[in-house]
């Protein structure tokens, strides 16, 4: 499940909690499109804002409605004891893998992060994807730490931030990392904007925000890249530039949440306060962009 396209859907909320009907609708879109895997409860799924019981419920819903597509869920939390409880719940729910970022309030050291992964992997029976997300965790992995963690049991993939849309730079970066990790550990794009480049320059998997709502074009990009058709993959990604521009300006979560609300796939507001989807003039701009890209259906 750590190759191809992994789609990360929203976890729509209402003032009463999880909007289960909306979440199931989003899952159905992914199943119908035929994504390679589903990353429920990622950052796009607002895992850090949900109660333990809500995360357990979403994990179960995701597995139940995945149509046999492998499901990965995040188990990140501030305390290691909570991470272990979330891992146990996820495995009982029947997930195919777990995703773990070094979530913290105090800035962590490299040794503390390694100990976190070492502890968690001792308690797993499913694969783990390392989630490097410095924009939210404020922790920067070193290449040496990637290598140490990649040697642990059950580690199967690394979700890498900051990869470039420049093919030469991305190819160089992936070439630097490959010798540091075992052959079975895949390297994936954490950002949508450079994903076409990553996939055509040797990356294994696209962990995608946009695919969690609009999977068809990301699937086409991924399949073109897998066939070695760099020109088509890059051209399809370039078509989405108006969305990429809004991602740069507002962040992907706020944009896809607003898009889901515009399409009636989630009730407004669908994000956990104080987070808010794109509003006002920018929301109208997003609606125009969706229309131009034929994404309003």
């Amino acid at each position: 499940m750590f190759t191809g396209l992994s789609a990360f859907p929203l976890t729509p909320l209402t003032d009463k909690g999880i909007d289960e009907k909306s979440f199931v609708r989003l899952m159905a879109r992914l199943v119908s499109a035929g994504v390679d895997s589903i990353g429920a409860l990622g950052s796009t799924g607002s895992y850090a804002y949900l109660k333990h019981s809500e995360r357990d419920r979403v994990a179960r819903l995701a597995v139940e409605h995945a149509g046999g597509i492998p499901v990965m869920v995040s188990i990140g939390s501030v305390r290691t004891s909570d991470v272990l409880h979330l891992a146990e719940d996820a495995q009982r729910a029947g997930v195919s893998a777990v995703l773990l970022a070094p979530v913290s309030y105090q800035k962590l050291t490299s040794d503390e992060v390694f100990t976190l992964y070492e502890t968690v992997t001792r308690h797993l029976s499913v694969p783990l994807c390392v989630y490097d997300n410095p924009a939210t965790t404020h922790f920067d992995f070193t290449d040496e730490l990637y290598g140490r963690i990649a040697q642990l049991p059950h580690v199967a993939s690394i979700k890498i931030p900051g990869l470039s849309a420049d093919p030469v730079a991305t190819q160089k970066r992936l070439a630097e990392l490959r010798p540091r990790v075992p052959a079975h550990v895949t390297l994936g794009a954490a950002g949508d904007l450079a994903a076409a480049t990553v996939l055509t320059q040797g990356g294994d998997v696209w962990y995608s925000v946009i695919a969690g709502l609009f999977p068809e074009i990301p699937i086409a990009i991924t399949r073109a890249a897998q066939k070695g058709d760099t020109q088509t993959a890059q051209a399809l990604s370039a078509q989405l530039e108006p969305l990429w521009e809004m991602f740069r300006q507002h962040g992907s979560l706020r944009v896809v949440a607003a898009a889901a609300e515009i399409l009636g796939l989630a009730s407004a507001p669908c994000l956990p306060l104080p987070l808010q989807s794109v509003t006002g003039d920018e929301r109208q701009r997003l609606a125009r962009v969706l229309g131009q890209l034929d994404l309003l259906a």
Side-chain angles (χ1 to χ4, degrees):
M1 67 175 294
F2 298 107
T3 59
L5 180 68
S6 186
F8 280 63
L10 295 159
T11 305
L13 302 173
T14 69
D15 56 2
K16 296 179 181 178
I18 305 298
D19 184 348
E20 295 190 7
K21 290 183 179 179
S22 292
F23 181 74
V24 169
R25 279 199 298 269
L26 294 178
M27 289 290 297
R29 289 166 71 91
L30 307 185
V31 173
S32 177
V35 300
D36 296 308
S37 64
I38 295 171
L41 292 171
S43 294
T44 308
S46 300
Y47 75 92
Y49 295 86
L50 303 181
K51 297 182 225 178
H52 192 133
S53 59
E54 291 174 323
R55 292 172 69 167
D56 182 48
R57 178 59 180 158
V58 171
R60 292 178 182 279
L61 283 172
V63 172
E64 179 183 351
H65 293 278
I69 294 173
V71 172
M72 175 170 65
V73 300
S74 172
I75 57 171
S77 192
V78 174
R79 293 182 65 183
T80 299
S81 59
D82 290 334
V83 175
L84 293 174
H85 286 141
L86 288 162
E88 185 177 352
D89 285 351
Q91 291 174 107
R92 277 202 303 258
V95 303
S96 297
V98 294
L99 176 68
L100 178 58
V103 179
S104 188
Y105 179 77
Q106 300 290 343
K107 187 173 176 62
L108 297 174
T109 68
S110 290
D111 284 342
E112 288 168 338
V113 169
F114 178 79
T115 300
L116 167 67
Y117 284 94
E118 183 182 42
T119 301
V120 172
T121 54
R122 286 202 309 267
H123 293 81
L124 287 179
S125 59
V126 298
L128 177 143
C129 177
V130 176
Y131 188 7
D132 181 358
N133 189 4
T136 57
T137 64
H138 308 293
F139 177 81
D140 294 302
F141 281 80
T142 63
D143 289 0
E144 185 213 5
L145 185 57
Y146 277 154
R148 290 178 68 197
I149 292 173
Q151 301 294 332
L152 294 170
H154 302 293
V155 174
S157 187
I158 304 174
K159 186 179 180 192
I160 304 168
L163 292 171
S164 172
D166 174 17
V168 175
T170 290
Q171 189 177 62
K172 180 175 181 291
R173 179 66 181 132
L174 292 174
E176 290 170 347
L177 292 176
R178 289 289 182 195
R180 292 183 173 270
V181 304
H184 70 273
V185 175
T186 67
L187 302 178
D192 284 4
L193 282 65
T197 300
V198 175
L199 291 175
T200 56
Q201 298 304 316
D204 301 297
V205 53
W206 176 7
Y207 296 110
S208 176
V209 174
I210 195 66
L213 186 59
F214 301 114
E216 284 79 10
I217 296 178
I219 286 175
I221 292 169
T222 303
R223 300 295 176 252
Q226 289 173 326
K227 293 176 183 176
D229 187 351
T230 299
Q231 184 175 359
T232 297
Q234 294 287 11
L236 289 169
S237 180
Q239 288 178 15
L240 296 175
E241 177 56 32
L243 270 181
W244 300 156
E245 178 55 34
M246 295 200 74
F247 276 24
R248 294 186 194 100
Q249 186 173 354
H250 301 287
S252 58
L253 174 60
R254 292 178 176 86
V255 174
V256 295
E261 293 167 0
I262 290 168
L263 268 67
L265 295 171
S267 300
C270 72
L271 292 178
L273 293 173
L275 293 178
Q276 297 180 45
S277 61
V278 174
T279 59
D281 291 343
E282 287 298 282
R283 192 183 188 91
Q284 294 178 23
R285 174 188 166 201
L286 175 59
R288 290 194 298 272
V289 166
L290 296 178
Q292 292 164 5
L293 296 173
D294 292 325
L295 295 175
L296 287 174

